[in-house]
Amino acid sequence: MFRSVIKGQRLLAVFLLGVLLFNYPLLALFNRAAEAFGIPAVYAYVFGAWTLVIGLLALVIERSR
Amino acid sequence: MGKKVLIADDEPNIVVSLEFLMKQRGYVVKVAGNGEDALSAVGDFGPDLILLDVMMPRMSGYDLCQKVRENPAWAGIKIIMLSAKGRDIEVTKGMAVGADAYVTKPFSTRDLIAKVQEMLGE
Amino acid sequence: MLQSWVIIPVSLAYIGVLFAIARYGDSRADQGRSIIANPYIYALSLGVYATTWTFYGSVGRAAGDGVGFLPIYLGPTLMMALWWQVMRKIIRISKTNRITSLADFISSRYGKSALIAGLVTVIAVIGVVPYIALQLKAVSQSFTILVRYPELAMSGLREPSPVVSDTAFWTALLLATFTILFGTRHLDASERHEGLVAAIAFESLVKLVAFLAVGLFVTYGIYDGLADIFSRAAAHARLANLFAPLGGAAGSYASWAWLTALSMLAIMFLPRQFQIAVVENVDENHLGKAIWLFPLYMLAMNVFVVPIAFGGVMHFPGLAVDPDAFVLTLPMGEKQEALALLVFIGGLSAATGMVIVETIALSTMVCNDLVMPVLLRMKWTRIAERENLTGLLLGIRRGAIVAVVMLGYLYFRLAGEAYALVAIGLISFAAVAQFAPATFGGIYWKGATRAGALAGLSAGFAVWLYTLLLPSFAKSGWLPIGFLEQGPFGIAILKPYALFGLEGLNDITHAMLWSGIANVGAYVVVSVLTRQDAAEQAQAARFVDVFRRAGEELDVHLWKGTASLPDLMALLGRFLGPERAQAAVADYARRRGFASPAAMPADAGLVQFAETALAGAIGGASARIMVASTVKEDVLSIDEVRSMLDEASQVIAYSHELRQKSQALMTATTELRAANERLQELDRLKDDFISTVTHELRTPLTSIRAFSEILRDNPGLDAAEREKFLGIIIQESERLTRLINQVLDLAKLESGRAEWQMQEIDPRMVIEDSIDATGQLFRARNVGLEARLPASVPPIHGDRDRLVQVLINLLSNAAKFVQPDSGRVIVALSAGPDTLRVAVTDNGPGVRAEDREIIFEKFRQAGDTMTEKPQGTGLGLPISRQIVEHFGGRLWVESAPGEGATFAFDLPRAKAPAVGPAPGG
């Protein structure tokens, strides 16, 4: 039960990070005509941040098993 | 004939000193180096007083004292316990098993002699 | 190969595969060997979220505004992070209360209110049926596009075909059949539909593979990779604007955020998601992996959306190709017939998955939460008195399925290309979002009341109707457009897209804002202003405190009345069938420890059990009505309930606290006792040690004092005697000094404060030095001493002086215990593989077995074997052992009484010096 609570708190932290990453103003920083790896910045950023969030979710879930 | 004193102690140097002191006062002295020898000497020698060390091999001073007191024939024997163990509990135990006096080592030779003379009614 | 005589059999074959999988899943479930009982299937089945709206529509949206499709998937990704807490609680509540649908969940929380159940059902049906229509439309449209191959243009596509030749109609019929077959096998809806879930998971896989295939084909087949697509798009007049699409006209950050929030709610409250995530959940532990697997699924589903959209826009310049169909038309344009067929099947899987699960969910609600309560309340139907209701129930359930699917089809036929259908995706999301306040509040806020939930739901739903659904009708031409532009009856302040003059927001954001305010506002305000009745309070406690596990006990006491087992049994039998009812009650009796149901009292617990069992079949609201009609219930006053609840929760809180406290106390007591015992033991040891040391010190002091006094009192002693007594005084003084030194030495060794001069030493030197030091003693007693030393021995690591100390001790012990003249002592040194051994052997009296450890204890000399009291202090061997052990070795004695003794010790050899050049050398 205790570990479950800790896990819940870590997941909440990932959620808050995700909210931060997926919104103004961070999002606005990449909303420009720049490119990363030949991909427009905003797409590269969103998919990168998305991957990061999923990775963190997996880390939190799987590590304490 | 002088009174008879049995010295029961396993420390040779202490025995030497006690033997000297008793003989000087004119007592007849016998020495035993352990508890069993001392017990047989009680029967053979018939002492009037025993200077009894508590910590002795084979039979402790307490046990010896008890055995002496169990025998009515030896009721008149005075027993002075000598011990390097000076805690209250040990003194109490010594008196409980029937000693007439308990003297803590190291002792004053004058006090010891006085006590011996008192016990022997001199 | 894209003629209808190919496409239709392939599609039928695909659906045949679904049937096979579902059948297999069900048969395995019947054998108790579930194929869906793992987190991967659970995560995949959650993929029912991706409908044709995703499969075809995402590309369409991306072609229009670039990023607008993303929040639909980012929202659920974020929500998954909260599922660990929120969804786990919902699942636990649902399993405990046998909840079978969203309507059941919400109404159960608010005192099993039939009114709320009905309202939720109505909102869900109105909000979601058009969404089903959209799926049917997508199937029909993609089929039409496919059969027109190789033509790509969309002209003439919009004309509806007659019903009999309409693929959408046949698809709808097929899906209704499928759903009936695999969705209504059992009556007890809380028994999950394993085969169906297996099929849904398979569909998720198919649509993902199809989409990835077309994505890879477009990106690397038609174009030369992602960079190529984007660099070409940069040169494209319209697409270049989509490189920084946010903040401008296409989408503000605010609407992006609102869309994310809306999708967060959709992933929980779309009836199909609730069905899969909660009702069909096998094990709440599957949530864990799903929390990251499902977002990963969505990520994979979206990776190629933008490349396909941009590729499509550039690939069909000037052609009237609908961006929504790019996934299909791009392979067709490149003559990739097989791929196009795969895409069609992928789209079909997205549509069928959605329709099947949504229909199950909606039909359960319609049957249990709308039709049954009404039928049961209508006395004239005499339904409640019927002997066996299972047939009727199944009939209603199946009828509801057909009705829902056909309603969807009807809406598709009526709406056609109308805006009301095209935009339904987000409008649906906004409808189900209305369930959020009542649900979240319901599981965390005990004070929320039925009236509050009813008010919130109604207000939110009304605003949604007014700001989203009616305007979509107006845009479709079904209402006068003036309704939108000038407001109803020309009242500008009531313009549905700019309510109360709130302008500048897009329609979804605007509707979310107003419906949210209305919903949450009404919910909170009315909840605060109204009071819960007894049933509500009981349910509130069951929901909010579900993890406290005391729920069952609480309920049992929250009921007063009289019931009879046969009545309850008959009631269950009518809905579940007599055998299943018998089995269920017998099982319950066993769990409560009764040999047979007849031995069980018909108490509150049994009534509760019957109601829960019934809820699985007909929903919480209907179950409440049925049970209430069967047993005689006394009305509990609100005060009674409150005091019962208070008492129960206080008792629980107290006993919990008490348990914790007494546990802590017990632990502390145990620790304290152990510590005390250790202390006492230490104290005792210290006391003994001091007493012993005192005794040992007093003995030489006694001699010294006695002889000093004799010399003082007898000045006339002869010279020889003086000499003798003075000698004794000196000898005893030496003994005293030695004793004090050794006591101090031992204290230092034991406390670890001793200083060690560690160095590499030659053990032979140690032995020779020790022999020199004890030579006098051996000569004095005329004891023979022999050293047996090898020519060369490896060095050891240690303190030279300490080792000499050990050896001197052993040698002098040996010298003292052997008989003078005849005694012999041998000291031998030998090297083992890891150790060096030093052994001192004598031919003395030996050590008895029982004394072999005692002699290593402090002040414990094996005195009894000796006729004479030894002159040692009783500390030599303990000190020696301490020293040897400090060097990592050990010291022991081997002996047989009468045959001498061997004191030996091992020392570890010094580590071999490192091979090779020294560092820095």
Side-chain angles (χ1 to χ4, degrees), chain C residues 507-535:
Chain C
D507 53 346
I508 294 291
T509 308
H510 175 264
M512 281 289 288
L513 202 61
W514 281 123
S515 68
I517 289 170
N519 191 331
V520 176
Y523 176 62
V524 172
V525 170
V526 176
S527 284
V528 170
L529 292 180
T530 53
R531 301 184 71 183
Q532 292 175 327
D533 68 19

Side-chain angles (χ1 to χ4, degrees), chain C residues 493-572:
Chain C
I493 200 86
L494 293 181
K495 279 198 286 188
Y497 279 168
L499 203 56
F500 308 123
L502 187 65
E503 309 244 12
L505 299 174
N506 72 16
D507 53 346
I508 294 291
T509 308
H510 175 264
M512 281 289 288
L513 202 61
W514 281 123
S515 68
I517 289 170
N519 191 331
V520 176
Y523 176 62
V524 172
V525 170
V526 176
S527 284
V528 170
L529 292 180
T530 53
R531 301 184 71 183
Q532 292 175 327
D533 68 19
E536 278 182 80
Q537 259 194 358
Q539 287 303 95
R542 280 176 78 106
F543 272 54
V544 177
D545 297 334
V546 69
F547 283 121
R548 296 230 316 235
R549 278 215 255 158
E552 258 176 74
E553 288 165 45
L554 270 181
D555 298 323
V556 170
H557 302 296
L558 266 182
W559 184 84
K560 247 168 49 178
T562 43
S564 85
L565 181 66
D567 285 351
L568 287 171
M569 199 80 137
L571 176 65
L572 284 179

Side-chain angles (χ1 to χ4, degrees), chain A:
Chain A
M1 194 63 204
F2 179 70
R3 207 159 46 173
S4 164
V5 169
I6 295 275
K7 214 188 264 190
Q9 286 170 353
R10 288 189 178 143
L11 289 169
L12 184 66
V14 178
F15 168 78
L16 292 174
L17 175 73
V19 170
L20 194 71
L21 290 176
F22 294 149
N23 274 297
Y24 186 87
L26 280 183
L27 198 54
L29 298 181
F30 297 89
N31 187 40
R32 60 184 66 193
E35 288 184 14
F37 318 108
I39 300 166
V42 71
Y43 301 103
Y45 170 72
V46 171
F47 277 96
W50 197 356
T51 310
L52 174 73
V53 169
I54 293 172
L56 289 175
L57 289 177
L59 194 71
V60 173
I61 293 291
E62 302 297 334
R63 202 179 51 174
S64 45
R65 251 157 217 264

Side-chain angles (χ1 to χ4, degrees), chain C residues 371-420:
Chain C
V371 178
M372 281 308 286
V374 172
L375 283 183
L376 292 174
R377 270 174 205 276
M378 288 192 289
K379 296 272 188 270
W380 54 267
T381 58
R382 297 182 167 271
I383 276 185
E385 293 160 31
R386 279 217 215 161
E387 204 46 50
N388 189 339
L389 288 164
T390 47
L392 176 76
L393 263 175
L394 276 178
I396 295 175
R397 190 76 52 85
R398 286 168 184 162
I401 287 172
V402 175
V404 166
V405 175
M406 282 305 138
L407 261 180
Y409 177 70
L410 201 65
Y411 193 82
F412 156 62
R413 291 297 294 198
L414 289 176
E417 274 314 300
Y419 174 84

Side-chain angles (χ1 to χ4, degrees), chain B residues 9-18 20-21 24-25 33-34 53 55-58 83-87 90 104-111 113, chain C residues 687-688 691 694-696 698-703 705-707 709-710 712-714 717 721 724-725 728 731-732 735 863-864 866-871:
Chain B
D9 199 323
D10 63 331
E11 277 288 331
N13 288 338
I14 292 177
V15 168
V16 171
S17 69
L18 290 173
F20 178 87
L21 290 168
Q24 202 184 28
R25 294 290 174 277
N34 63 57
D53 181 32
M55 295 277 286
M56 279 190 302
R58 297 204 190 155
S83 176
K85 292 192 160 192
R87 287 187 292 192
E90 285 142 1
T104 307
K105 293 178 184 174
F107 47 80
S108 149
T109 50
R110 288 174 187 172
D111 289 355
I113 289 164
Chain C
D687 213 36
D688 282 359
S691 162
T694 315
H695 179 262
E696 296 297 316
R698 279 177 171 179
T699 303
L701 270 176
T702 305
S703 300
R705 180 170 181 187
F707 284 110
E709 290 188 7
I710 289 170
R712 181 194 63 192
D713 295 340
N714 300 282
L717 279 175
E721 228 163 6
K724 185 186 168 197
F725 291 171
I728 290 177
Q731 189 194 335
E732 291 290 340
R735 180 176 165 194
D864 284 2
M866 266 80 64
T867 48
E868 228 176 305
K869 180 150 182 155
Q871 288 301 304

